[in-house]
């Protein structure tokens, strides 16, 4: 059974500025250096007039993982993440796979302005892990870790934008 995930992240900057950062190759590289864990990489980056797509690879050292995940993986966790952003509507899709785990996260992002000149990024999706008895625990852990990561990325992006203002 899949676990729904919904997460809201807020920014003190307008959606147009946040969107520009989220699809900026330099921002992605800087964010990976700051938050990417073990062997982070921007695997692919493509942009057109209407869309930007990229693939990220990030590692989480085994000693930073919950014991249930360490036992299953037997080593570091490698996260592969693909995002496609469309400027019209400032919306995106995300697909996340985890090496060594038969599961994935699929979702959509929506970036919108809020009152007072800020913006919010909403993730709506689902996490599915196909392991009998353990799948539910891993889905919960993945959903929680995604929320933590999105909060850290929002904090980084806010600071990154402030340095360029």
């Amino acid at each position: 059974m899949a676990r729904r995930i919904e997460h809201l992240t807020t920014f003190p900057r307008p959606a147009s500025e946040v969107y520009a950062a989220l699809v900026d190759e330099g921002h992605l590289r800087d964010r990976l250096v700051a938050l990417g864990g073990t062997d982070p990489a921007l695997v692919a980056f493509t942009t057109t007039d209407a869309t930007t797509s990229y693939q990220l690879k990030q590692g989480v050292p085994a000693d930073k993982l919950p014991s249930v995940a360490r036992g299953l993986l037997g080593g570091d966790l490698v996260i592969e993440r693909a995002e496609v952003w469309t400027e019209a509507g400032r919306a995106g899709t995300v697909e996340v796979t985890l090496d060594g785990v038969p599961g994935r996260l699929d979702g959509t992002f929506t970036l919108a302005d809020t009152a007072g000149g800020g913006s919010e990024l909403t993730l709506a999706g689902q996490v599915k892990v196909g392991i009998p008895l353990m799948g539910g625990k891993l889905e919960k852990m993945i959903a929680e870790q995604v929320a933590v990561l999105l909060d850290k990325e929002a904090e980084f992006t806010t600071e990154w934008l402030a340095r360029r203002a």
Side-chain angles (χ1 to χ4, degrees), residues 40-140:
L42 179 59
V43 178
F45 182 88
T46 306
T47 190
T48 68
D49 290 340
T51 63
T52 299
S53 60
Y54 51 84
Q55 293 176 297
L56 307 170
K57 182 177 147 187
Q58 298 171 264
V60 180
D63 63 347
K64 303 280 187 206
L65 296 171
S67 60
V68 66
R70 278 194 307 269
L72 176 69
L73 294 171
D76 294 350
L77 174 64
V78 177
I79 302 164
E80 296 189 28
R81 175 172 161 185
E83 294 187 20
V84 178
W85 285 89
T86 305
E87 188 169 8
R90 296 185 186 111
T93 61
V94 62
E95 296 176 4
V96 178
T97 57
L98 310 169
D99 282 0
V101 178
R104 61 185 296 121
L105 178 147
D106 295 293
T108 58
F109 284 115
T110 306
L111 180 62
D113 286 314
T114 59
S119 58
E120 58 187 23
L121 179 65
T122 304
L123 167 66
Q126 67 176 10
V127 179
K128 176 140 180 68
V129 177
I131 300 175
L133 303 174
M134 296 295 292
K137 286 183 181 182
L138 288 171
E139 289 167 358
K140 181 179 182 208

Side-chain angles (χ1 to χ4, degrees), residues 20-33 42 45 156 160 163-164:
L22 293 176
V23 297
D24 181 272
E25 187 173 359
H27 169 263
L28 293 169
R29 290 185 187 284
D30 291 348
R31 193 177 77 191
L32 279 171
V33 168
L42 179 59
F45 182 88
F156 176 85
W160 190 86
R163 287 191 302 268
R164 281 150 183 76

